[in-house]
Amino acid sequence: MSTVLLVHAKGGPPLGHVLARAAARAEVHLLALSALPPTGAASVSGLCASVIRPTEAEQSDLVALIVSRAKAVGADAVLTFSEYAVVAVAEACEALGLPGAGGSVALARDKRRMRQTWHRHGLPQPAFHPVVTQTDLHKAAATLPVPMLLKAAWSAGSTAHQIIGSPQEADAAWRRSRAMMAESAQLGFAELHVAEADAHYVVEEIVTGEAAGWFDEPGWGDYVSVEGVVADGVFRPVCVSGRMPTIEPFTERASITPALLPADLQDRVVALARDAVDALGLRDCGTHTEIKLGADGRMWLIETAARLGGAMTVPQIEEVFGLDLVGMLVDHFLGRPVDWPERALGPEQARGAAGSLVVLAVDGHGEGWRDSRVWDFPTVRETVALSAGSTLSVVPESSLPDGSAVPVYDPVGGANTMAALCLLSAPDARTVLRDFTTLIDALPAVLPPAGYAAAHAVSAAPQPEGAPA
């Protein structure tokens, strides 16, 4: 039987989903760079031939650690589904002579180099300036039109993103973003291999998006993501996921599969994603490319990741299109033939629809809740009336336990301030969009107020396993 070393860290699809599908195709050894989610730790041992949790000292040379462990277990393939580990795993695969994302993988992590690469290829994207020092930031703030967006170059989940409304706000934004990156690192949401990553930033022009010319009904966000893989250097698009509007500054709230784009517009989006991925020179990996949609058919590249979409993107694709992307990617890495879709799948091929909603303490107008509430999924399930045929569930490893206080939304913290991740299955994407709108409006009213002694109250709630989409 073939052997796979799976490198686990924060982010990505739920670990239980990944392990179940990888273990169906190979003997799996787990190298856990982050603590296992409390809700899934018990089942891990039954799916893995071994589980290793290295010490902090052992992780000081992460590539050497991965190479050593791969050799010890006789791994035929090494994979990760975490944004924060893709560079280290790709470098380890290079050293081992195994399939991997390749030597240019950092171009799909470092937003500065990503934008520079796309600029050289003439691809549409916002104007930008790389930033390493406060002086760099002042130069960028004097050049780009305001408002502008400050991003941490190696972050995920909109962490440390800030809108700068004037050059005078630059210093405060710089201090706040750096502080947030330090806080995120303490929670495990940080690049694991590149030591200087926390000092890298980029400032971008804020382009004006518009969903109206792309979707037939209101409620959709003005950006989409193209899910796919690169197999032997060839980009294989799988589908396009839609979004609800972001929360300021640009925190993602909900992903919906499939996006209800007309076929000709989907083809245009996929073509741009192909150009973006091809420019980065990736070899073997999942891909997740976000594209901003504008008026008159304009598009701008937001970013590409050298891994499959996070949160519930992968389970949604499996439910809607019947594709086990984790298993297919494992098969490819092991040299087995894989029947990739001939072209990106769309609403016509979908069997219903699915979406994931990040629970944040923000209402449908983007305003923070007026009072504090306690997360309690049974209350939500029992009191919020959804459409006929819709089924709502919670993702335990990405959610706080029932009885936990819903964190106050911090725009700089992005997805770090999530309370829960919910999955909705419905007959079609319009129903998912409508039901998510209902949920967002209902949550601050139906959830118990702070101080409520919920039946499942906890004294110290663990941080949810947040996952960038």
Side-chain angles (χ1 to χ4, degrees):
M1 189 176 191
S2 298
T3 301
V4 168
L5 177 65
L6 178 63
V7 180
H8 167 69
K10 292 277 190 178
L15 180 59
H17 180 94
V18 169
L19 279 178
R21 284 142 187 83
R25 286 167 163 78
E27 178 180 274
V28 177
H29 295 263
L30 186 67
L31 180 60
L33 305 180
S34 299
L36 300 177
T39 56
S43 63
V44 168
S45 59
L47 293 169
C48 296
S50 71
V51 179
I52 296 294
R53 178 75 167 100
T55 65
E56 186 173 337
E58 290 172 323
Q59 294 188 51
S60 60
D61 188 341
L62 195 50
V63 172
L65 171 65
I66 296 169
V67 169
S68 174
R69 187 60 186 157
K71 290 180 177 179
V73 302
D76 301 297
V78 180
L79 294 92
T80 188
F81 295 88
S82 167
E83 178 83 354
Y84 307 115
V86 293
V87 175
V89 168
E91 291 186 12
C93 289
E94 291 284 286
L96 291 162
L98 295 175
S104 66
V105 65
L107 301 182
R109 275 292 285 133
D110 184 347
K111 296 176 178 62
R112 305 166 308 159
R113 297 175 64 190
M114 187 186 304
R115 294 230 172 276
Q116 290 166 339
T117 301
W118 286 340
H119 177 71
R120 288 195 298 271
H121 284 78
L123 299 179
Q125 61 179 336
F128 68 97
H129 282 279
V131 171
V132 176
T133 67
Q134 212 162 344
T135 300
D136 293 338
L137 179 58
H138 281 287
K139 291 179 180 177
T143 304
L144 291 175
V146 293
M148 64 191 75
L149 181 64
L150 175 64
K151 287 183 176 181
W154 297 75
S155 69
S158 301
T159 304
H161 286 21
Q162 286 194 87
I163 294 175
I164 299 176
S166 70
Q168 291 72 35
E169 297 176 8
D171 288 339
W174 177 255
R175 290 191 296 270
R176 184 71 182 97
S177 287
R178 289 178 65 85
M180 179 52 65
M181 287 301 291
E183 291 176 26
S184 295
Q186 293 299 313
L187 297 172
F189 299 104
E191 169 61 32
L192 294 169
H193 178 52
V194 181
E196 68 277 13
D198 62 346
H200 297 164
Y201 291 80
V202 64
V203 178
E204 297 180 359
E205 168 195 17
I206 297 178
V207 295
T208 302
E210 182 177 308
W214 296 84
F215 297 96
D216 292 334
E217 60 281 300
W220 292 93
D222 59 7
Y223 72 114
V224 295
S225 61
V226 180
E227 322 302 344
V229 300
V230 178
D232 299 320
V234 178
F235 177 57
R236 305 281 189 174
V238 173
C239 68
V240 179
S241 298
R243 297 293 194 277
M244 293 184 76
T246 58
I247 303 169
E248 188 177 342
F250 290 101
T251 302
E252 298 188 17
R253 170 167 251 166
S255 167
I256 301 173
T257 306
L260 291 186
L261 288 173
D264 60 329
L265 297 183
Q266 174 164 302
D267 288 345
R268 290 192 60 225
V269 167
V270 171
L272 179 56
R274 183 185 302 278
D275 290 342
V277 173
D278 287 350
L280 299 178
L282 301 172
R283 194 172 65 222
D284 292 288
C285 60
T287 63
H288 172 78
T289 303
E290 296 180 356
I291 295 174
K292 185 87 164 180
L293 308 175
D296 301 320
R298 291 197 67 187
M299 295 182 286
W300 301 268
L301 291 168
I302 301 175
E303 59 188 52
T304 286
R307 43 88 182 162
L308 297 177
M312 294 299 286
T313 303
V314 171
Q316 288 167 209
I317 291 171
E318 183 171 330
E319 177 176 341
V320 173
F321 293 113
L323 295 179
D324 171 11
L325 288 186
V326 171
M328 295 166 76
L329 204 56
V330 169
D331 280 342
H332 174 70
F333 272 58
L334 293 174
R336 301 166 183 164
V338 178
D339 187 18
W340 302 111
E342 293 184 4
R343 57 183 298 157
L345 304 175
E348 298 79 11
Q349 293 82 35
R351 303 178 303 191
S356 48
L357 176 73
V358 177
V359 176
L360 298 163
V362 181
D363 65 20
H365 302 289
E367 301 293 330
W369 293 353
R370 295 183 178 180
D371 53 12
S372 300
R373 295 282 164 166
V374 170
W375 174 246
D376 188 62
F377 180 68
T379 296
V380 175
R381 183 179 53 211
E382 294 164 10
T383 60
V384 180
L386 301 178
S387 302
S390 293
T391 303
L392 183 69
S393 59
V394 70
V395 184
E397 70 182 65
S398 299
S399 304
L400 295 173
D402 293 324
S404 303
V406 176
V408 175
Y409 175 66
D410 181 352
V412 185
N416 285 3
T417 52
M418 66 185 285
L421 183 66
C422 293
L423 177 67
L424 182 75
S425 301
D428 55 69
R430 290 181 178 84
T431 302
V432 175
L433 185 64
R434 181 172 61 248
D435 284 348
F436 276 169
T437 301
T438 298
L439 269 171
I440 291 167
D441 291 341
L443 286 175
V446 303
L447 287 176
Y452 170 77
H456 304 284
V458 293
S459 57
Q463 185 74 16
E465 181 86 355

